[in-house]
Amino acid sequence: MSEQTLDYFLSRSQIHKRDAAELRWSHAVNSRSRLTEALTGPTHMIEADIIMRGGDPKEPIMAHPPDTDSDITLKEWLEGVKEHDKGIKLDFKSLEAASPSVVLLEEVLAETSRPVWINADVLSGPGGQATPLEPQAFLSAVRTLPTDMVLSLGWTTGWTAGTENPGYSWDMVRAMEEICRSLKHPVTFPVRAALLAQSLSQLTWLLQQSVRYTLTVWTGQNDKFTLQDLLPYRKEFDISRIYYDLPDSLRTELSMTSHDNN
């Protein structure tokens, strides 16, 4: 199943060409107020984090660790999204939340055509300190989701100013490809912008393994990188295959560099 995210927004005239750099993102939409703001704002994709509530009642809620509670549950969040035409990206911070969340997704968004992305870090990556979710356990939990939903499968990463930060190694991309090879869903790989300059060969190889694969470029708040670090990727691949979850000014600048292979 190939990626339908761009077609969805194109068909609604919310973007003007099949260029993934045109999509705008809202982040950490983990409260009622942030959700209201995102649903009425100009972004196309709304990203939020899911954990299990620390106390009772035990249920999936919208929060990013170390938070353990929230003023909005996943069920309420999905009900709010349902009335609008935004795409959503749900970032799983715990394995425990996956199965009950899948039940809610299938229940609340059963009839939807909107883009739904399901994100988790499932492997250790360059400089990664956090423990990734166990890949097979996570994939077992989400496998029943419709195959037009996108699995966003990443690596835990770190980045330190003033040091040489290693990129994504051959072992890392090969391990990821092995996990994704037999999946039926489209897969996007979230990759850290500050690590891209030193990872071109590895990530090029990874994208060449299947037409189901795309990249989503993201950045940490204090990461340092330049537009030049990203341009080789834009030149190498069809512009529909690399999403840029980056500050608007940079994303706009990228979308103006028209290495359009279409």
Side-chain angles (χ1 to χ4, degrees):
M1 169 72 68
S2 67
E3 169 66 84
Q4 295 174 3
T5 302
L6 295 179
D7 296 329
Y8 175 86
F9 293 112
L10 264 174
S11 68
R12 285 160 177 74
S13 303
Q14 292 183 25
I15 58 174
H16 306 296
K17 56 180 177 176
R18 292 191 92 255
D19 181 357
E22 288 204 4
L23 289 200
R24 300 173 71 174
W25 300 74
S26 291
H27 292 110
V29 181
N30 296 332
S31 66
R32 290 176 185 275
S33 61
R34 289 295 302 267
L35 182 59
T36 302
E37 192 185 316
L39 288 173
T40 54
T43 54
H44 302 96
M45 295 289 292
I46 301 178
E47 184 265 348
D49 304 291
I50 304 180
I51 60 170
M52 286 300 268
R53 179 180 272 123
D56 289 329
K58 276 276 188 204
E59 60 185 326
I61 59 167
M62 313 316 285
H64 190 291
D67 293 345
T68 57
D69 210 343
S70 172
D71 70 352
I72 189 165
T73 65
L74 172 61
K75 189 173 197 304
E76 292 164 337
W77 195 94
L78 292 173
E79 295 285 2
V81 165
K82 202 163 105 169
E83 307 309 316
H84 297 261
D85 59 0
K86 306 283 188 183
I88 62 174
K89 178 179 177 180
L90 299 171
D91 189 354
F92 283 87
K93 298 301 183 190
S94 85
L95 197 52
E96 188 190 7
S99 290
S101 298
V102 165
V103 172
L104 287 170
L105 270 167
E106 291 175 332
E107 206 176 277
V108 181
L109 295 184
E111 300 305 312
T112 188
S113 64
R114 81 184 63 248
V116 177
W117 291 24
I118 304 296
N119 183 81
D121 288 337
V122 294
L123 290 175
S124 294
Q129 302 294 322
T131 306
L133 303 193
E134 203 289 309
Q136 294 312 329
F138 180 72
L139 290 172
S140 292
V142 301
R143 194 162 270 134
T144 57
L145 288 170
T147 53
D148 56 352
M149 291 190 182
V150 177
L151 298 181
S152 172
L153 302 175
W155 298 262
T156 60
T157 57
W159 185 85
T160 311
T163 64
E164 266 198 43
N165 292 277
Y168 295 91
S169 69
W170 284 106
D171 284 348
M172 289 169 193
V173 295
R174 287 193 177 111
M176 185 63 87
E177 208 284 318
E178 204 171 306
I179 288 169
C180 298
R181 192 177 300 158
S182 62
L183 298 174
K184 300 286 187 283
H185 297 78
V187 179
T188 195
F189 303 109
V191 289
R192 195 167 188 152
L195 304 175
L196 289 192
Q198 53 274 53
S199 311
L200 183 62
S201 301
Q202 292 85 345
L203 294 175
T204 296
W205 174 85
L206 184 57
L207 275 200
Q208 286 168 343
Q209 302 313 300
S210 174
V211 293
R212 290 183 297 111
Y213 297 166
T214 58
L215 296 180
T216 301
V217 180
W218 63 277
T219 183
Q221 214 171 347
N222 303 310
D223 292 9
K224 299 274 185 293
F225 64 95
T226 68
L227 190 68
Q228 298 308 314
D229 296 339
L230 310 183
L231 289 179
Y233 290 85
R234 192 151 169 86
K235 196 171 183 177
E236 185 72 33
F237 293 102
D238 190 282
I239 56 176
S240 67
R241 292 190 72 191
I242 307 188
Y243 293 87
Y244 299 92
D245 183 357
L246 296 173
D248 267 352
S249 55
L250 192 59
R251 191 188 49 72
T252 306
E253 207 177 332
L254 264 168
S255 65
M256 286 159 65
T257 61
S258 200
H259 292 296
D260 193 338
N261 303 337
N262 290 333

